[in-house]
Amino acid sequence: MNCPLRGKTVKGNNNFTYFRPIKMGLRERFASFRKDIRTSWLIRHAKPKQDEKRKYHVSLCIMFKDEALYLREWLEYHLMVGVDHFYMYDNNSSDGYESVIKRYLDEGLVTLIPWPKEHSQVEGYEDCIRRFQSESDWIGFIDVDEFLVPVAEESLVTFLDRFSNRPSVLVYWRFFGSGGMINRDTKRLVTEDFVVASEKLYTKGKCFFNSNFDYLFGSEKNKSMFHCLWTVSNGKPVPPVDAFGHTLYRSWYLKRKTMTIPIQINHYTLKSYMEHKEKDKKGDVYYDRPTHDDRLFFLRDMRCTVADYHIFKYVTELKLRLEAREKKD
């Protein structure tokens, strides 16, 4: 069963806002239950390939377009929480981003890949797996408006090390709103300016791929692989587990009790009102149509009603690191 969410939104529980499952008849329920048992067995008995010494332990792959304003904060922050390397796919940017990432390139922290094909994010990410799987133990697929934030976990590294025998892992989103900002001084930190968030996690997120397993190429299941990355175990396709270790054979299956959140993705999808409007002018690396209209802005902003300061434990160090970078430049 594939992972995209379907059905009406419901309240969820203490941790999650999630989607009502599709109604199934008794026969369908039984067939689905048998399939779930098989899938769970495959994941529990998944065997990684022979351990190889790779150049990097944790890497991130992004596809970006005209994101120069935000790249330095995003790069420096993720270096701080445990990322070793970045595979950066440039999708026809024209905003002078090269000067922002030059020192990271010179230091070998970034591999830059020109990617001129429009609206082909998944194709680019699959190219990353083909070309760089042998370089990094883990490759995560996130965007420049997403920040991985250890909550109960010590770091991104300690989190992923717990999943060394799992083919892929999903980390859930927490949406952040505008905080009432129309305009914003974009020289300031995104991570400091936006603290008003959704009360609960959202049942979508982004995935990390464990390079000791095989990616499921050529499958509809990986149509949105960054949200739900399917792999191969014992010759069979298997979905990811989530940050709590639950198998995602259904998108609604696990959220039935309160759980300690180990890690989350702070998704700064809105920022200020004017920044949100600028997104459609730049175009999108995935969608071939405008996706950042006022309706969506206010719909998401209305759901952001509580303060979330988990990322603030890193902000002081982040500022010091950015100041040190500026002095070097």
Side-chain angles (χ1 to χ4, degrees), residues 71-313:
L71 285 175
R72 185 167 301 190
E73 178 183 1
W74 185 88
L75 286 164
E76 205 62 47
Y77 171 84
H78 283 102
L79 286 170
M80 190 169 57
V81 296
V83 175
D84 301 309
H85 195 75
F86 303 92
Y87 301 106
M88 300 183 65
Y89 281 68
D90 167 39
N91 190 215
N92 304 309
S93 296
S94 58
D95 61 350
Y97 75 91
E98 297 91 342
S99 63
V100 176
I101 69 167
K102 182 180 184 303
R103 185 169 289 277
Y104 297 93
L105 278 165
D106 293 344
E107 293 177 7
L109 295 168
V110 165
T111 299
L112 180 64
I113 305 97
W115 192 260
K117 189 174 181 180
E118 297 281 4
H119 317 301
S120 58
Q121 190 175 26
V122 170
E123 188 177 338
Y125 285 170
E126 291 184 336
D127 176 79
C128 181
I129 291 174
R130 286 190 180 96
R131 295 171 65 176
F132 305 116
Q133 179 175 357
S134 62
E135 287 191 355
S136 185
D137 297 321
W138 290 97
I139 303 176
F141 300 91
I142 67 173
D143 296 330
V144 181
D145 60 0
E146 296 169 338
F147 288 71
L148 289 148
V149 183
V151 179
E153 196 63 60
E154 181 182 340
S155 71
L156 179 58
V157 175
T158 60
F159 167 73
L160 289 172
D161 283 351
R162 294 195 290 108
F163 293 93
S164 60
N165 63 339
R166 295 294 182 260
S168 63
V169 184
L170 179 140
V171 180
Y172 291 108
W173 277 336
R174 189 182 296 277
F175 277 103
F176 280 70
S178 68
M181 292 191 194
I182 303 295
N183 292 289
R184 185 179 74 94
D185 179 0
T186 55
K187 292 180 181 178
R188 290 176 54 85
L189 298 183
V190 170
T191 50
E192 185 178 28
D193 274 353
F194 300 105
V195 299
V196 183
S198 57
E199 182 182 0
K200 301 174 184 180
L201 298 179
Y202 188 61
T203 47
K204 277 189 179 180
K206 292 296 181 68
C207 284
F208 276 85
F209 170 60
N210 184 342
S211 294
N212 278 314
F213 291 86
D214 292 322
Y215 177 78
L216 186 63
F217 284 104
S219 172
E220 265 305 295
K221 294 180 183 297
N222 275 329
K223 185 177 181 180
S224 299
M225 51 78 81
F226 41 82
H227 286 316
C228 191
L229 194 152
W230 284 67
T231 52
V232 179
S233 177
N234 297 315
K236 302 289 185 181
V238 292
V241 299
D242 72 0
F244 302 96
H246 295 112
T247 303
L248 289 175
Y249 32 70
R250 294 195 195 94
S251 57
W252 67 86
Y253 180 77
L254 69 157
K255 299 98 185 171
R256 294 181 180 175
K257 62 181 180 180
T258 302
M259 295 168 283
T260 300
I261 298 168
I263 189 170
Q264 66 186 34
I265 293 176
N266 283 17
H267 191 5
Y268 301 100
T269 184
L270 299 184
K271 301 186 180 75
S272 67
Y273 176 73
M274 293 308 298
E275 285 172 283
H276 189 265
K277 290 187 77 69
E278 284 295 315
K279 284 188 177 183
D280 275 339
K281 295 179 183 179
K282 293 188 295 186
D284 194 271
V285 298
Y286 183 79
Y287 294 104
D288 60 359
R289 62 186 185 280
T291 58
H292 299 93
D293 59 16
D294 282 3
R295 180 196 63 82
L296 185 60
F297 176 88
F298 291 115
L299 177 66
R300 288 178 169 170
D301 214 23
M302 287 287 287
R303 294 175 180 170
C304 297
T305 59
V306 300
D308 185 312
Y309 288 99
H310 284 110
I311 202 168
F312 266 55
K313 60 190 173 185

